[in-house]
Amino acid sequence: MITKCLFPAAGYGTRFLPATKAMPKEMLPILTKPLIQYGVEEAAEAGCSIMATITGRGKRAITDHFDISYELEHQIKDTSKEDMLKEIRKLIATCTFTYTRQNEMKGLGDAIYKGKSLVGESDPFAVILADDLCVNTKGDGVLTQMVKLYKKYKCSIVAIMEVPKKDVHKYGVISGREIEKNIFMVDDMVEKPDNDKAPSNLAIIGRYILTPDIFDIIKDTKPGKNGEIQITDALLTLAKKGMVIGYKYEGKRFDCGSVDGYVEATNYFYNLSK
Ligand code: UTP
């Protein structure tokens, strides 16, 4: 089954400069919890126990976050503050964290390819982009919903949402046939199309389940939009064989890679905590 989740986190997070000059974007907090911890909790809920992160220069804080801090533990021992570490302690105790670096920003497809040594080539695996924060207060988390779908369809899955036509150029966009409510058999996908050339307004968000044959395909994928190796282009090869599902998930998603989405998420979680 799906026990490994890849977290591509090598990007520079330039939309958050200067905050991201020396600190990874993935460590920006929504209230008191860093973005990547929300992602790891979602993956753990979905049954993953191997959390594999693609990092880059200046991203050491991620590695330190998922490790025990003995001085801190000693300092807050037997105080009420211990409670604030309960969730992260549980993750550290139950999951294995592995890391590799993407030395050059060659795109999400390349970042995922770098994860081959961490997730192996024999099983399907999940991918979470931690700056896309997903929450479902009414039931299963988004990755759990996708894992359940994988059990039925046994092919690659991308999470999709409807976006206004004027925004499609910011996303990978799919087109496909709705085979069940909210489930699409993908027949075309384009990375960041011009608004008037997009095949639909169904945009891919940062949740994927990928079958390991994707690695050989990425290897042969030429740089696309912005000169980067795009996972969308690699997945198109599988889509042409009817091997990609688009899933309109249940829940909310915040684009925390943008300042607007980040503020929206902060307000949402603050109200939820009251
Ligand atoms: P983004 O383009 O949203 O992230 O990539 P970014 O480049 O860090 O942000 P800005 O635009 O400069 O503000 C989506 C995700 O893919 C990862 C990023 O870390 C982010 O989680 N990514 C992207 C990589 O790991 N490597 C890449 O080469 C590109």
Side-chain angles (χ1 to χ4, degrees):
M1 259 339 298
I2 296 169
T3 57
K4 297 166 196 156
C5 186
L6 208 57
F7 295 86
Y12 293 130
T14 53
R15 282 168 290 172
F16 272 92
L17 285 171
T20 46
K21 194 163 166 261
M23 187 186 71
K25 168 169 77 172
E26 296 74 16
M27 288 303 292
L28 289 171
I30 299 294
L31 306 189
T32 56
K33 205 193 290 181
L35 280 170
I36 192 150
Q37 191 179 328
Y38 286 92
V40 168
E41 285 173 2
E42 185 184 330
E45 183 215 275
C48 296
S49 59
I50 309 235
M51 309 296 176
T53 305
I54 311 299
T55 65
R57 279 176 297 281
K59 300 270 184 176
R60 254 197 59 186
I62 298 176
T63 322
D64 287 340
H65 185 70
F66 294 105
D67 195 1
I68 297 167
S69 167
Y70 287 101
E71 296 92 327
L72 179 68
E73 294 280 342
H74 178 71
Q75 189 72 30
I76 64 172
K77 196 167 164 38
D78 299 329
T79 72
S80 58
K81 298 235 170 78
E82 271 201 304
D83 251 11
M84 298 175 85
L85 292 183
K86 229 166 68 192
E87 287 168 334
I88 183 75
R89 274 182 182 161
K90 189 171 165 216
L91 291 174
I92 293 169
T94 54
C95 303
T96 302
F97 294 87
T98 61
Y99 302 89
T100 193
R101 280 192 179 200
Q102 185 190 20
N103 316 94
E104 288 177 79
M105 284 324 95
K106 287 201 222 152
L108 182 56
D110 180 65
I112 291 174
Y113 189 76
K114 290 281 180 299
K116 186 167 87 161
S117 59
L118 302 179
V119 298
E121 282 180 90
S122 43
D123 300 307
F125 58 96
V127 177
I128 286 185
L129 304 186
D131 48 358
D132 263 350
L133 178 51
C134 291
V135 55
N136 183 21
T137 51
K138 297 192 183 113
D140 289 340
V142 173
L143 196 64
T144 302
Q145 296 169 37
M146 293 171 75
V147 167
K148 285 185 176 168
L149 203 60
Y150 178 81
K151 285 182 186 152
K152 179 164 178 193
Y153 287 98
K154 302 263 187 320
C155 67
S156 291
I157 304 173
V158 294
I160 51 171
M161 65 183 267
E162 282 187 47
V163 297
K165 280 257 179 222
K166 66 172 176 48
D167 289 336
V168 286
H169 66 279
K170 298 179 190 162
Y171 296 89
V173 178
I174 67 130
S175 68
R177 186 168 53 88
E178 193 165 15
I179 51 174
E180 270 185 71
K181 189 167 184 284
N182 295 332
I183 299 171
F184 295 74
M185 179 64 71
V186 178
D187 55 28
D188 194 13
M189 50 207 307
V190 192
E191 185 61 27
K192 299 190 176 70
D194 292 341
N195 286 348
D196 54 349
K197 294 207 182 96
S200 77
N201 68 336
L202 294 172
I204 303 170
I205 65 141
R207 299 289 180 281
Y208 303 78
I209 287 178
L210 300 176
T211 48
D213 49 351
I214 198 71
F215 290 124
D216 277 343
I217 299 171
I218 298 175
K219 204 165 62 184
D220 294 332
T221 301
K222 302 261 173 312
K225 195 85 185 181
N226 302 331
E228 295 182 338
I229 296 174
Q230 302 290 353
I231 189 64
T232 311
D233 295 342
L235 277 169
L236 178 60
T237 305
L238 287 180
K240 297 264 184 237
K241 295 185 205 158
M243 296 303 281
V244 181
I245 294 279
Y247 171 56
K248 247 203 239 173
Y249 58 91
E250 277 172 36
K252 280 179 86 62
R253 167 260 184 187
F254 298 96
D255 173 14
C256 293
S258 76
V259 175
D260 285 352
Y262 180 78
V263 172
E264 208 188 312
T266 303
N267 289 333
Y268 178 86
F269 279 88
Y270 182 71
N271 290 329
L272 212 60
S273 73
K274 290 284 131 198

